[in-house]
Amino acid sequence: MINPAFTPSSDDLALLEVKDLRKVFIDRDFQTPVLKGVNFTLQKAEMVALLGPSGSGKSTLLTILGTLMRPSSGSFNMLGRELTTLKEKELSNFRNQEIGFIFQYHHLLPDFTALENVMFPHAGRLWRETRVGRERAAMLLDRVGLKDRMNYQATRLSGGQKQRVAIARALMNQPALVLADEPTGNLDRENADQVFDLMTEIQRETGTTFLLSTHDRELAERCQRRIYIESGVVVDQPVPRERTISAPRTGLRVIDGDAPSVVDRTSTTDRDLQRRA
Amino acid sequence: MRFDLKVALRYLLSNRLQSALLIGGVAVAVTVFTFNAALINGLAEFQIDRVVGSSAHVTIEPAQLRPAVLPARDNTDRLTASQVTLERREQIKQWRSVERTINTLPGVTGVSYNILGTGLVSRGQQTLPVTIKGVEPSRLAAIAPIDRNIVAGDARLGLNDVLIGRKLAENLGIRIGQPFFITSDQGRERTLTVRGLYATGIDSLDARLAYVNLDTARVMFDLPEGLSEIEIKLADIYVARQVAEQLAESTGLEATAWMDKNQNLRQALEGQGSSGNIIKMFTLITIVVGVASALLLTTFRRRPEIGIMRSFGISQRFVLSVFMIQGALIGVLGSLVGCILGFGFSTLLANISTGSGRTLPVDPSLGQYDVALLLAAAASIAAALWPARAASRIDPVEAISQ
Ligand SMILES: Nc1ncnc2c1ncn2[C@@H]1O[C@H](COP(=O)(O)OP(=O)(O)OP(=O)(O)O)[C@@H](O)[C@H]1O
Ligand SMILES: [Mg+2]
């Protein structure tokens, strides 16, 4: 619908290469190492889930990849450009053209309508609204099922509707990469499924690469690939989550039952990929 | 419409109460500014009118005698001595040539060729000192509008006539048609007839001055040819200094403009002017402080939104511009309203005061509305600079995670 004729070109499939990315938060003389050498590659037109326990550094990684924060060391290269060396202005411009953000909270601008929110990244770059921008925004809102809510004030939309507007906004400038940090984290099951389905469909239609962090294993399963991050490094398979059952005296530990199946499938895929390489 | 302007407008409209208060605040400051200007300038105009309306704009007098420098003996400091000579009376001898020069000057609306002197008037037991001014009868009203201020008798100046102020007449207990005994500083006695009384409202004229015919003055003060001063009135009083300089240059005489002749007036005007400027400065400071603090609050409130804009690659310049435009809009709207209010208020006061008889010298046309508009808008824009910079430097990560 958005770009129905899209087929990923086979000649250069790499979109993003992350090499030994590190981040240490420094607060006065207190240092918090969060990313400790992250390595991975994203291909064009992939939908990848980023998984990992709370505090493992998912949001930090997405923020750095979105050029909103600079890494302490390491490099990442997108579309052939080394982003760690770009100046603030160039980063801002790159972000505007090539990266779309979807956050857990929709972060719509409350004083603007749904349509204006979607147009904003485009109009803000050109310093004026254009007919082309307006048409594209309207088309995107139509695509996310909000044709009849285009001129509603952002504050007058439901939670799920707001998040769908946020998706449309992230796609406004036809970015190469959409970064979504727990995009369904604030929604109930039904809404989460709808929003996720929408993202998958749009991802397929547009050939945009999606990297989304989530705690929802069910949704992660529906992505083409999963990257696990564990205390600041990418791991082949998730360490099975330990859960303490209400037996405080004995402290009996039970391994999370869901984990193994996930581990098996992905680890095989990952290993296969590595073997092939 | 520019998109930054649209965003700025949307922000101003989204918080109508705050915007209205801000614009109102700027408007009040500008009202004070313009009313203050209308009052101070109106007062100055009133004072200048009073002085300038009844006195010369440029006065030509004989060049002052330079004090002679006496040769000093060795080992002594040089002494400067000023000799006051009674014999060498200061006068303008070659005034016919000066007259020709004046006749070529543009913008001259009146000239009077005068002989000035002092004398003592006696009436019964009383003796009062008066200034005597000898003028050509045809030029009597060239400088002060004596003819329009005659309250008794008439303004004809025959060889034996004198026109005096009503105050002086009261002090002497003298009436129209009565004799006026005068002894000039040259020792000449003369008896004149009081032909008319005038009341200009200016004490120096009404209580101490007497007008006589120029030819009468020539005899009384022993000046058969020369003059003691030439007074000139100009169409534009503010070129008086240039005209004075020009005349001094071409005649070699001393020529003084009204503002230099009336030091008191000048000091009064300067004093009023600087106190007016202080008030104006405070109104501008009020604008800067008010607008800056309100906009700073706005940037703080909108941190997450600005952060999100930055996250989708809106440039710092765009954010800066949005806030600068808000400052500019507040400034321009506020000062427009303020100018209207200031004009209205000045007009109201100017009318009320005339109604009750006592005049408050407010001149609504002198409110300096253009200056107020420019300065208030500039102050608001300057005030927006700091909040706008703060907004443009918001760290998107911090703002989003809030
Ligand atoms: N500005 C900061 N200064 C210091 N430490 C920080 C800062 N931001 C994040 N951290 C730390 O970095 C670690 C990773 O945080 P991050 O938000 O990336 O985790 P996450 O994987 O997204 O977790 P969650 O799944 O709960 O969202 C946390 O331990 C956190 O305390
Ligand atoms: Mg997170």
Side-chain angles (χ1 to χ4, degrees), chain B residues 223-258:
Chain B
L223 278 176
E225 282 157 36
L227 293 174
S228 29
E229 64 167 20
I230 301 170
E231 293 181 304
I232 299 172
K233 264 199 130 94
L234 298 170
D236 177 7
I237 60 171
Y238 295 102
V239 298
R241 272 211 180 113
Q242 284 145 262
V243 172
E245 269 167 35
Q246 201 180 326
L247 281 171
E249 183 118 336
S250 59
T251 62
L253 300 170
E254 199 155 285
T256 318
W258 61 271

Side-chain angles (χ1 to χ4, degrees), chain B residues 28 46 56 69 96 106 121-123 126 154 193 196 200 281 288 308:
Chain B
V28 168
F46 174 77
V69 176
R96 288 291 174 195
V121 188
S122 16
R123 167 100 178 147
Q126 278 200 85
D154 59 59
T193 310
T200 60
M281 211 176 67
V288 171
I308 204 75

Side-chain angles (χ1 to χ4, degrees), chain A:
Chain A
M1 230 171 161
I2 291 169
N3 189 356
F6 177 83
T7 42
S9 69
S10 51
D11 43 311
D12 183 14
L13 282 172
L15 173 77
L16 177 72
E17 281 180 290
V18 181
K19 282 186 200 142
D20 199 29
L21 204 67
R22 288 166 196 272
K23 180 71 188 178
V24 182
F25 286 106
I26 298 168
D27 191 14
R28 291 202 192 93
D29 42 24
F30 195 76
Q31 300 198 345
T32 319
V34 175
L35 300 181
K36 302 164 186 166
V38 172
N39 292 286
F40 66 90
T41 304
L42 290 184
Q43 311 294 328
K44 281 182 184 159
E46 268 194 309
M47 181 135 188
V48 179
L50 181 64
L51 293 150
S54 180
S56 55
K58 301 184 296 293
S59 297
T60 308
L61 179 61
L62 290 177
T63 311
I64 291 174
L65 295 181
T67 74
L68 292 176
M69 186 198 281
R70 288 185 189 268
S72 306
S73 70
S75 68
F76 64 106
N77 176 303
M78 187 168 155
L79 295 164
R81 294 181 80 177
E82 178 52 54
L83 296 183
T84 42
T85 57
L86 289 189
K87 290 198 195 74
E88 184 52 44
K89 246 187 209 163
E90 298 167 320
L91 280 184
S92 177
N93 203 29
F94 183 86
R95 194 153 69 220
N96 183 267
Q97 315 234 20
E98 303 296 355
I99 294 172
F101 277 106
I102 303 167
F103 302 93
Q104 179 170 2
Y105 180 69
H106 57 83
H107 283 303
L108 294 186
L109 305 172
D111 297 306
F112 295 85
T113 63
L115 189 73
E116 287 166 335
N117 263 283
V118 176
M119 288 169 72
F120 211 110
H122 190 252
R125 174 170 85 229
L126 301 176
W127 293 63
R128 66 196 167 85
E129 292 171 324
T130 59
R131 200 172 51 86
V132 174
R134 188 174 289 275
E135 278 167 8
R136 176 163 169 83
M139 186 269 286
L140 283 166
L141 278 175
D142 188 14
R143 178 64 192 85
V144 299
L146 291 173
K147 194 181 178 143
D148 56 339
R149 291 288 184 275
M150 272 185 214
N151 294 315
Y152 273 51
Q153 204 73 15
T155 45
R156 287 170 52 216
L157 298 170
S158 75
Q161 287 173 333
K162 282 176 188 160
Q163 198 61 327
R164 280 186 273 159
V165 175
I167 291 169
R169 183 175 64 184
L171 293 163
M172 179 66 200
N173 285 348
Q174 292 173 284
L177 175 65
V178 171
L179 299 167
D181 195 0
E182 297 184 46
T184 58
N186 255 357
L187 305 175
D188 58 53
R189 186 76 247 169
E190 198 180 328
N191 257 310
D193 280 338
Q194 275 182 15
V195 164
F196 189 85
D197 286 343
L198 186 65
M199 284 197 292
T200 337
E201 286 165 26
I202 289 177
Q203 189 274 327
R204 283 205 198 103
E205 289 163 17
T206 58
T208 310
T209 305
F210 272 63
L211 179 61
L212 55 99
S213 80
T214 181
H215 287 287
D216 190 330
R217 279 153 192 268
E218 203 176 301
L219 296 183
E221 277 304 292
R222 287 154 63 185
C223 291
Q224 292 159 7
R225 195 154 69 87
R226 282 148 293 279
I227 292 173
Y228 297 95
I229 185 164
E230 189 90 45
S231 35
V233 288
V234 174
V235 292
D236 277 356
Q237 48 185 305
V239 171
R241 257 206 270 174
E242 290 173 347
R243 208 165 53 184
T244 310
I245 287 186
S246 53
R249 275 190 199 164
T250 54
L252 177 66
R253 283 173 167 179
V254 174
I255 290 173
D256 190 353
D258 292 349
S261 65
V262 176
V263 174
D264 284 349
R265 227 183 297 161
T266 345
S267 52
T268 348
T269 338
D270 280 349
R271 266 179 225 133
D272 289 349
L273 276 171
Q274 276 166 356
R275 250 179 250 141
R276 268 178 236 145

Side-chain angles (χ1 to χ4, degrees), chain B residues 246-302:
Chain B
Q246 201 180 326
L247 281 171
E249 183 118 336
S250 59
T251 62
L253 300 170
E254 199 155 285
T256 318
W258 61 271
M259 46 282 234
D260 299 316
K261 197 98 180 161
N262 298 278
Q263 294 294 340
N264 290 347
L265 172 69
R266 205 174 73 184
Q267 279 164 12
L269 292 181
E270 279 169 3
Q272 289 161 16
S274 51
S275 62
N277 285 341
I278 289 172
I279 295 176
K280 287 178 199 167
M281 211 176 67
F282 273 108
T283 62
L284 292 178
I285 291 173
T286 313
I287 291 176
V288 171
V289 171
V291 172
S293 55
L295 281 183
L296 211 58
L297 271 176
T298 306
T299 50
F300 193 76
R301 212 159 32 82
R302 296 198 183 272

